[in-house]
Structure formats: C-alpha cells, structure tokens
Amino acid sequence: MSLKTDKICIALSFLLVIFSYFTQEIGVKTALLGVALIIAGYEIIFKAFKSLKNGFSLDENFLMSIASLAAFSIGEMVEAVAILLFYRIGEAFEDYSLNRSRRSVSSLVDLAPKQANLKQNGEITTVDVQSVKVGETIVVKAGEKVPIDGIITSGISLFNTASINGEPLPLELGKGDKITSGFINLNATVEIKTTSEFENSVVSKILDMVENAAFKKSKSEKFITKFARIYTPIVVGFAFVLAFIPPVLFGGDFSEWLKRGIIFLVVSCPCALVVSVPLSFFGGIGGASKNGILIKGSSFIETLSKVKLVAFDKTGTLSKGEFVPYKFSPTNGFSKDELFKFIALAEKNSIHPIAVSIVKAYKEPLDENLIKHVKESAGFGISAVIDGKDVLVGSAKFIKDFNPHDTDETAVHLVVNNSYAGYISLKDELRKESRKTIKWLHKNSIKTAMITGDKKAPALAVANELGISSVNYELLPDQKVSVFENFLDKKDKNTSIAYVGDGINDAPVIARADVGVAMLGTDAAIETADVVLMHNNLAKLKTAIQISKKTIGIAKFNIIFSISFKVGVLILAIFGLANIPLAIFADVGVTIIAVLNALRAFKI
C-alpha cells in the first residue's frame, strides 16, 4: 500500500475517534469506533487471516489483530482502535525508512545507461545496451555515460570517473586507452571498440554486487529471526494463560485479567527487533556506499568490526604500482644518458608498468625511427635493434648470459651488442594515504602484515617506511595463501583477519580471508572480495572499519533496548501496573526509536 493511502486511512481513523468523543449515544460511539478500527486495521486483520490460513503463523499482524479485537470486545474501544492505528503508523514509518535506505544504496548503482549508440557500416543506430557484442564499435557523445568497457579507437575527451573510482579530477583519454563503463564523457565524441558484453562490464558487476548485498545476512540478523520465532509463541501462550487461568483458579475480574493478556499480546510484537536490526545493517551498507565503499553483505560488516590483523599486498595496494627510476648504474664505458636512452627506446611501445614508468620518466623526445625488430618476451624483457645496435632490455634472468649485476632492487638491465651496459633501479611510489592508514590501524590495536610477491629489498623498504613488522616476500599466489593460513591458525576465535589486495594474484588470498578487501584493480579481485574500495583509496579501509563498528554498536543497542523495555512492561503487566497505552508505546514507540537509531548508520 502506498504511503499516501496510509496517510488517508490514518487521518480518517483519527477523525472518527475524535468524533466519537462528542457523542454520548453508545450505539453511535460503537459504530464510529468500529469503522475507525476497520479503516485503521483492515489490512492488518486481512494479513492475520491469511497467516491463519497458511498454517497459523504467529506473526505481528496476528498479535495486533487478536489484541485489538479482544480489547474491543470488553469495551476498551478507543484502546482497540489505538492498537491498530499506532501499529499502522509504525508500519508506515518503517516503510518510509526502508525506502529511504534503498534509495541511498541504489544511488550508488545509478551508473548504467540502458542504450548504446552502435556504429555499423558507417551508420549509427541506438540499440539496447545488452545487444552489443564484443568487438563492435559504439559511439559515446559528450554528456553521455560509457555503457560498456572497451578501448577508444577514435577521438579524445575528458571523462568524469567519480562514480566508478571517486577521482574528483576529470581524466583525459584518447585513442588506444582503455575505458570503463560508468565514466561520463564530458566534452567530445569518441568511438569505442567494446572488450566485453554489458553483463560483464564493470558497471554491471557493481550493480550485481550491490543488489545481492542485502541477501547475505549477519549473525545478528539470523539471531533475531530465530529469536522472533521462539519468543513470539512463548509470549502469546503466556498471554492466554494470564488472561484465563488466574480468574478461573483464584477468581477476580475477568476483564481485568483479559486486559493484562491483551497488554502481553501488544508488547510481545517483535517489530522493533525484526525491523530495526536489519535496517541498522542496511544503513551501514548504505552509509558505506555513500563513502565509496561497497560491502557485499551485512555479514561482512560484522566480520569487519572484529578485525585484529590486516594483511596487505604491496604493489598497487600500499604503493601506487607506478615505478620511478631513482638510481642509474652504467658500466663498461656506457654513460648514464646512453643507459637511460637505450632502455627508454626499447620500452617505448611496451605496456608493462615498468616500461611505461621508464618512458614517462625519460623527458626527452624518443625517435621511433631508431627502433626496429622489437620482440617482447612477456614478463622477462625486450630484444630490438636500436640505432643499428642489437639491444636486450629486461630482468637479470633475461640477460643471464651476460653476467648482470646482482641486486635485490627492482631493476632493468641493458645489453648492447653483447656487452653488459648496466641497469636502472626503480622503486614503487607509496600511496600518500598508506602511512596514515597503517598508523590508524596500529593506534586502534589492529596489527598489520605484508604478503607480497615482490623482492626482498623493495618489500623491506616499504615495510620499514610504513612501520609494518611482519613481512613475507617473493611469494607466488599459492605461497601467499599458505602464509595467510598461518595467520588464521593463530588467531583468536572471536576475531577476524582481513586481506587487502588488487591484483589477480591476490584473488586466492582475498577469497581465503575472513574479510577480503579489494582496491579497484582487477576484475578477479573485485569479484572475489567481500569489500571493494571504489575510490581506490586505501584510507577508505579506516572508514569501512569505523562504519562496521558503529553499525554493530547501533544494532546491539537496539537489541538490548527493545528487549529490556518490553520485558519491563511485561513484568508490570503481570502485576496489573501497565495499561494499554503503555503497551502500545512499548511496541510502536520502541520500534520508532529503534528505527531512528538505526538510521544513524547512514550518517558516517
């Protein structure tokens, strides 16, 4: 039912209750309040009837209906209307809060256009984005969102990438650059050759992750579900015992004992718990999404709040994965300039991160006419003829026959006409937020470790610079998993360990971790992770942990507050010290307070 209809029914019911105060005629009063009860509660009574029909389920609609009809039957007509009226107000408030929560989360995923401009045989037609195949060309005009991942084949433009990675500055991309769905084209038309279908594009995967997040319940939510199933029938049974046994055994006013039973039924409604606890977690997920953190289920909020150790990958996680040449070691008569120029020319057309970094660092123009017969051995090096000389550029393994200098540093070696010419040392630049993040973790009694495939020297250098004491280096993916499993074996039962990485080689460890966290790196890492830092900003790890702790605190408060208040009113009811208005407050009032408290989880 819409919120507008709810408002109309609530207002009409209120008016009829008010009119009933102005008549002394008992028949008219009964009719007015009877109609008010039906308007306020026909939907609740209908749901209760359906629950009876489907197996006598003791849900909250059944409790409220029985309590209200029983109160009406003993002449407590205003209270009877109030039970259903305020219950309906509480329900409307819950619906409003949940819709608001859903809107907040779904705003993260309002990324994907429904259509694409497909270019075929020189003509452009607008088609459903899901019909575009890999390898086809789409046209993205200024102001439009990129619908599918691909590579730009024509044009150059600025793109707003904030919705995907949180980067506030526009990114300039042109021919040959990879482009991700969800980017917004700001100023010029580009043509893109698609590299995936829509359902495999980044934006589609993000949508899928968010939509599935709500289905992974936390232990607290599961506890509430089980608790409500056991608690409600017990309290209902006790209400009937309270209403009928004492007057039969000990005598007394039957209506007074029935009223106490009605209070039990109203108070026993578990709405405050059933609504507020899941809403707290939903709020945590929504609050995280507003901060550019995708948490794929409320269970991971709970796990994240218990983290006592965070293990990090190095390259692309603690560091930018952008290598900077910092030491030049020429030999056998070669100069520093010759060393740098030969290596930069050889690496000119490679897309390896180290090659890109060296070419970027070489500020002088590179004459491509000097480069011939380039052959790249992926992961090892490049052979080429440069300015008429035979050149080998790459790792020590690649040129092992020429006695390269032995170094633990990340280095690129050079051989010219079968003569070893020296090497360039490179270091991976740290992310600017890494130091603060590690410091915050240590300050909050969370230990840190590094598990990396990098060499000993750069791994220790980064660890020393950041203050990470536990370092494991030169590891293959399966060795990373073994090291992480050692951490898991040693941890306390009620704590958890997180792993943060970005590469495809991190995916196995991310999957093995209590809570796997991915930077916005490879698809494998993002898909495997429980938490994705969409801004590609390591500082968001701190925000994610803060959100999880606050969310757990809110959920626990709601559980303790709701149960304590209800138990208190139930005890008062046994001794005849509670009335129906107090019972209504113990149900609706406590629910609204708990829901308002749950909404705080959004504001982190």
Side-chain angles (χ1 to χ4, degrees):
M1 185 167 287
S2 69
L3 191 60
K4 186 178 177 183
T5 308
D6 273 331
K7 286 180 180 175
I8 292 171
C9 291
I10 289 167
L12 277 175
S13 189
F14 257 121
L15 283 173
L16 290 168
V17 172
I18 292 170
F19 289 153
S20 72
Y21 274 102
F22 296 101
T23 177
Q24 300 301 316
E25 178 60 45
I26 189 65
V28 176
K29 185 186 281 284
T30 302
L32 286 172
L33 291 174
V35 174
L37 187 145
I38 291 170
I39 291 173
Y42 72 93
E43 191 182 43
I44 301 163
I45 295 170
F46 180 69
K47 286 180 182 174
F49 176 74
K50 278 180 70 178
S51 74
L52 280 176
K53 203 175 168 185
N54 296 328
F56 201 67
S57 171
L58 295 179
D59 63 11
E60 57 271 26
N61 296 298
F62 174 80
L63 298 180
M64 292 299 107
S65 300
I66 290 293
S68 177
L69 294 174
F72 202 87
S73 68
I74 60 172
E76 300 285 354
M77 294 184 288
V78 174
E79 287 82 353
V81 177
I83 289 170
L84 294 184
L85 186 57
F86 283 103
Y87 179 72
R88 183 152 191 173
I89 290 172
E91 274 199 323
F93 185 78
E94 291 163 17
D95 290 342
Y96 169 77
S97 302
L98 284 170
N99 288 334
R100 184 182 163 192
S101 305
R102 289 194 183 100
R103 283 200 300 273
S104 175
V105 173
S106 62
S107 65
L108 176 71
V109 299
D110 183 23
L111 306 171
K114 307 285 188 233
Q115 297 178 317
N117 302 316
L118 182 64
K119 186 175 183 180
Q120 289 177 314
N121 303 320
E123 292 188 2
I124 299 173
T125 52
T126 302
V127 299
D128 188 318
V129 70
Q130 299 202 24
S131 67
V132 180
K133 296 181 174 59
V134 176
E136 291 190 311
T137 298
I138 56 173
V139 178
V140 180
K141 300 171 186 173
E144 292 182 342
K145 286 180 183 173
V146 177
I148 302 173
D149 301 348
I151 295 173
I152 296 177
T153 55
S154 173
I156 182 169
S157 183
L158 287 173
F159 291 87
N160 180 341
T161 66
S163 59
I164 296 296
N165 58 22
E167 175 56 53
L169 296 176
L171 178 66
E172 185 179 270
L173 295 174
K175 186 178 179 181
D177 288 329
K178 289 182 179 178
I179 190 163
T180 299
S181 52
F183 286 5
I184 300 173
N185 188 356
L186 295 179
N187 62 341
T189 300
V190 295
E191 293 185 6
I192 298 169
K193 185 178 181 181
T194 60
T195 54
S196 71
E197 294 182 341
F198 174 73
E199 56 265 30
N200 293 320
S201 288
V202 166
V203 69
S204 188
K205 289 175 182 173
I206 293 171
L207 271 164
D208 186 57
M209 290 174 194
V210 173
E211 287 171 356
N212 287 322
F215 294 104
K216 295 180 180 176
K217 286 189 173 184
S218 67
K219 287 181 181 175
S220 298
E221 288 176 279
K222 289 174 183 172
F223 163 75
I224 291 303
T225 304
K226 290 179 183 175
F227 176 80
R229 281 183 199 151
I230 299 168
Y231 153 89
T232 306
I234 291 174
V235 178
V236 170
F238 196 84
F240 277 92
V241 169
L242 189 66
F244 297 106
I245 302 300
V248 172
L249 294 180
F250 310 111
D253 186 355
F254 177 76
S255 64
E256 176 58 30
W257 286 102
L258 184 59
K259 195 185 293 182
R260 294 182 193 185
I262 291 168
I263 291 170
F264 248 77
L265 288 174
V266 175
V267 177
S268 67
C269 180
C271 296
L273 292 171
V274 173
V275 173
S276 70
V277 174
L279 188 62
S280 302
F281 285 98
F282 203 64
I285 292 173
S289 71
K290 285 201 297 186
N291 280 279
I293 303 161
L294 177 60
I295 299 178
K296 298 185 189 175
S298 47
S299 61
F300 304 119
I301 288 182
E302 208 156 27
T303 311
L304 200 56
S305 72
K306 298 176 182 174
V307 163
K308 289 297 177 188
L309 169 65
V310 180
F312 295 90
D313 170 47
K314 185 180 84 64
T315 306
T317 303
L318 293 169
S319 66
K320 292 180 178 177
E322 296 175 4
F323 294 87
V324 179
Y326 76 100
K327 189 171 76 178
F328 298 85
S329 305
T331 188
N332 292 332
F334 285 87
S335 69
K336 171 190 169 185
D337 290 341
E338 288 174 315
L339 175 73
F340 200 178
K341 185 176 181 179
F342 271 118
I343 291 178
L345 281 166
E347 304 272 32
K348 177 74 173 62
N349 296 307
S350 173
I351 59 170
H352 190 281
I354 289 180
V356 172
S357 301
I358 289 175
V359 173
K360 186 178 177 183
Y362 190 81
K363 303 296 183 186
E364 301 297 322
L366 292 169
D367 185 357
E368 292 202 40
N369 294 321
L370 298 176
I371 310 167
K372 290 185 170 54
H373 308 302
V374 177
K375 184 179 178 184
E376 184 166 0
S377 300
F380 291 96
I382 292 171
S383 63
V385 174
I386 295 177
D387 198 15
K389 298 179 177 64
D390 293 328
V391 170
L392 297 175
V393 170
S395 66
K397 283 183 182 175
F398 186 62
I399 59 160
K400 61 183 179 183
D401 296 338
F402 300 94
N403 298 317
H405 182 80
D406 186 20
T407 176
D408 284 334
E409 299 166 327
T410 301
V412 177
H413 299 263
L414 172 67
V415 172
V416 179
N417 284 340
N418 298 322
S419 176
Y420 182 60
Y423 64 97
I424 297 176
S425 301
L426 302 103
K427 66 177 179 180
D428 192 0
E429 197 173 355
L430 285 180
R431 290 181 183 275
K432 60 182 179 183
E433 68 273 15
S434 293
R435 192 172 285 103
K436 282 186 178 177
T437 302
I438 298 295
K439 191 176 178 182
W440 182 88
L441 291 170
H442 290 167
K443 190 178 176 183
N444 286 272
S445 303
I446 298 174
K447 295 178 181 176
T448 54
M450 184 195 293
I451 303 175
T452 177
D454 282 11
K455 288 185 173 180
K456 178 180 178 181
L460 291 177
V462 169
N464 289 335
E465 194 167 347
L466 294 176
I468 298 174
S469 55
S470 174
V471 187
N472 293 272
Y473 43 81
E474 297 180 11
L475 301 174
L476 296 172
D478 60 324
Q479 294 171 322
K480 281 187 169 188
V481 173
S482 297
V483 170
F484 194 82
E485 286 182 338
N486 283 334
F487 291 147
L488 291 174
D489 291 339
K490 294 173 184 173
K491 72 164 185 170
D492 292 335
K493 187 179 177 183
N494 293 319
T495 63
S496 59
I497 304 179
Y499 180 81
V500 189
D502 73 314
I504 193 167
N505 62 333
D506 294 313
V509 197
I510 287 174
R512 186 67 186 85
D514 292 327
V515 55
V517 182
M519 310 290 284
L520 198 60
T522 62
D523 288 352
I526 292 171
E527 285 179 16
T528 309
D530 309 310
V531 177
V532 182
L533 307 182
M534 300 299 296
H535 288 189
N536 213 18
N537 180 346
L538 194 63
K540 293 294 179 182
L541 177 66
K542 166 189 164 186
T543 309
I545 294 173
Q546 288 175 321
I547 286 173
S548 68
K549 288 182 180 294
K550 184 172 182 179
T551 302
I552 292 298
I554 289 171
K556 284 183 176 175
F557 173 85
N558 281 342
I559 291 171
I560 295 170
F561 169 69
S562 303
I563 292 178
S564 302
F565 201 96
K566 283 173 178 287
V567 168
V569 176
L570 289 173
I571 292 171
L572 291 174
I574 292 172
F575 296 102
L577 299 174
N579 54 23
I580 291 179
L582 180 60
I584 292 172
F585 181 78
D587 173 37
V588 180
V590 167
T591 299
I592 290 175
I593 291 170
V595 167
L596 286 174
N597 188 43
L599 290 177
R600 290 196 301 120
F602 281 93
K603 297 177 182 176
I604 298 176

